[in-house]
Amino acid sequence: MTVPLFDTKTPLEPLREAILERVAAAIDAGRFILGPEVAAFERELADYVGVGHAVGVGNGTDALSIAARALGIGPGDEVVVPSFTFYATAEAIAAIGATPVFCDIDPDTRNVTAETVAPALGPRTKAIVAVDLFGMPAEIPAIRDAFGLPVIEDAAQALGASLYGVKAGALGDIATFSFYPSKNLGGFGDGGAITTDDGELAERVRALRFHGSRDKQTFEYVGFNSRLDELQATILRVLLPHIDTWCDGRRAGVQAYIDAGLGEHLTLGATPEGATPAWHLYVATHAEADAKLAQLAAAGVQARGYYRLPLHRQPAMAPYLARSGRALELPVTDELARTNVALPISPVFTRAQADAVVAALASA
Ligand SMILES: *Cc1c(COP(=O)(O)O)cnc(C)c1O
């Protein structure tokens, strides 16, 4: 049995007709930039996340740059970011002239914590980026309490997750989402959003995504041209009502792995009390990760090692390491980068697929 790493196609099939109808109507309406579909999606996303404001932007990377700029961050400022994450988390900070300073993560949740952030703080630290990695909500309230610094929640992988009933996207001072096709809520192209409960921040974000202008006449900031497309918003509005069902499917898939005995072959992460993960990816570890990946590939299972070269070892980040001048020992990051095995997971993942993955691991 071939088991794909993602299955973005099957969950969309029952929605195909509805999507085509709504896209046709949006084409007929002829408003392609910041029209009624974007406005309605922003309201629906804000309601789903449980915050006052959502603002659609071009992608999840721009969302991070715009969120940081809205917090007043710029050249000379430092922002603490994890090293074990997708490159965009740090790139978006560097792109606005600020310095990303890398920190380690907790080995069980793979997320930053108050303990791992502390050594990266300095007098120029203006904010902390906490990634809800692989869909596991980071323990952001504890980080906010510990340092009194604003937390930007990179929730690109976590729509549908929650921590003690508070949804990912509502945990930080401001949060960012990506609707890249393989994310938990994936559009048919690039897209992103920023969520916050702070009305002033939301207004700055709205101006920044439109060239730094509120009225298209006066330009207050050097901003961005980064808007969620009307057609993407039209599609995302059809998909959003299904996000909980899809996340339930992902959680059932992870339970199927556990029931199938995955823990006998790989080391599984931990879900802290109060956390409901959205499982964008299901990632286990093994000391011989690449050998396990080869074994899985031979059996038709599409597994993959993620972020094998963590961000503090990426060539483009070298000048930022030098600039921050902080000592950089990130042992948990280095270990996880070497040992992680991301396994297939999707909203329609089955017990039979879990059995096939476990059988492939057992066949050594
Ligand atoms: C996907 C992703 C991003 C970037 O999103 P894009 O829409 O591709 O720009 C940022 N951070 C994390 C953690 C991501 O997974």
Side-chain angles (χ1 to χ4, degrees):
M1 182 196 292
T2 300
V3 187
L5 185 60
F6 299 107
D7 183 353
T8 47
K9 220 171 169 188
T10 309
L12 291 178
E13 257 150 37
L15 303 175
R16 187 186 160 85
E17 283 311 308
I19 291 168
L20 289 174
E21 247 170 60
R22 298 273 289 272
V23 166
I27 291 171
D28 290 340
R31 295 271 309 273
F32 297 118
I33 301 290
L34 297 183
E37 294 286 336
V38 170
F41 176 69
E42 289 177 341
R43 269 196 313 278
E44 289 156 6
L45 181 66
D47 288 348
Y48 176 79
V49 169
V51 292
H53 313 273
V55 182
V57 295
N59 55 69
T61 308
D62 284 356
L64 284 161
S65 291
I66 292 172
R69 279 281 308 279
L71 285 168
I73 292 161
D77 296 332
E78 291 182 358
V79 178
V80 177
V81 301
S83 171
F84 191 71
T85 173
F86 180 54
Y87 180 64
T89 306
E91 179 191 35
I93 299 304
I96 62 166
T99 303
V101 178
F102 295 102
C103 74
D104 217 346
I105 45 173
D106 176 87
D108 290 325
T109 64
R110 296 79 180 258
N111 280 331
V112 301
T113 65
E115 288 75 46
T116 70
V117 164
L121 297 173
R124 292 166 186 243
T125 309
K126 288 285 154 52
I128 296 153
V129 180
V131 180
D132 300 317
L133 196 71
F134 304 141
M136 176 70 74
E139 295 179 75
I140 292 171
I143 298 171
R144 286 173 85 188
D145 289 349
F147 308 119
L149 285 165
V151 174
I152 301 170
E153 180 183 7
D154 180 349
Q157 302 183 355
L159 187 66
S162 62
L163 185 64
Y164 287 107
V166 178
K167 286 253 163 60
L171 293 164
D173 294 84
I174 189 165
T176 62
F177 287 103
S178 165
F179 307 122
Y180 184 86
S182 65
K183 300 286 158 91
N184 285 16
L185 184 71
F188 293 4
D190 280 308
I194 296 168
T195 53
T196 180
D197 237 352
D198 181 327
E200 266 177 49
L201 269 182
E203 276 315 298
R204 274 205 291 281
V205 165
R206 281 186 194 284
L208 283 167
R209 77 167 166 184
F210 190 93
H211 306 286
S213 179
R214 289 165 211 260
D215 60 3
K216 306 187 187 178
Q217 297 289 336
T218 322
F219 296 89
E220 277 176 68
Y221 316 109
V222 173
F224 300 76
N225 177 8
S226 184
R227 300 164 301 221
L228 180 65
D229 279 0
E230 188 76 353
L231 287 180
Q232 293 303 335
T234 302
I235 294 162
L236 292 168
R237 288 190 71 202
V238 180
L239 309 188
L240 182 61
H242 301 276
I243 189 71
D244 282 337
T245 307
W246 291 342
C247 287
D248 284 346
R250 290 172 180 275
R251 289 187 278 264
V254 167
Q255 190 57 51
Y257 271 130
I258 292 166
D259 295 345
L262 184 70
E264 289 161 36
H265 306 283
L266 300 174
T267 305
L268 311 184
T271 299
E273 213 188 311
T276 305
W279 297 129
H280 172 59
L281 289 165
Y282 189 57
V283 177
T285 58
H286 192 280
E288 307 285 329
D290 287 333
K292 290 289 140 186
L293 289 174
Q295 194 180 326
L296 289 165
V301 176
Q302 294 175 1
R304 192 198 290 170
Y306 267 74
Y307 317 136
R308 281 280 188 261
L309 192 62
L311 303 191
H312 72 291
R313 300 192 180 281
Q314 292 291 348
M317 291 295 118
Y320 299 95
L321 304 194
R323 214 196 278 177
S324 85
R326 221 80 87 246
L328 212 63
E329 294 294 323
L330 307 179
V332 179
T333 293
D334 283 333
E335 169 82 0
L336 189 58
R338 191 177 63 77
T339 58
N340 82 82
V341 176
L343 298 163
I345 193 72
S346 80
V348 291
F349 192 77
T350 63
R351 174 62 196 258
Q353 288 177 309
D355 287 337
V357 172
V358 172
L361 288 165
S363 70

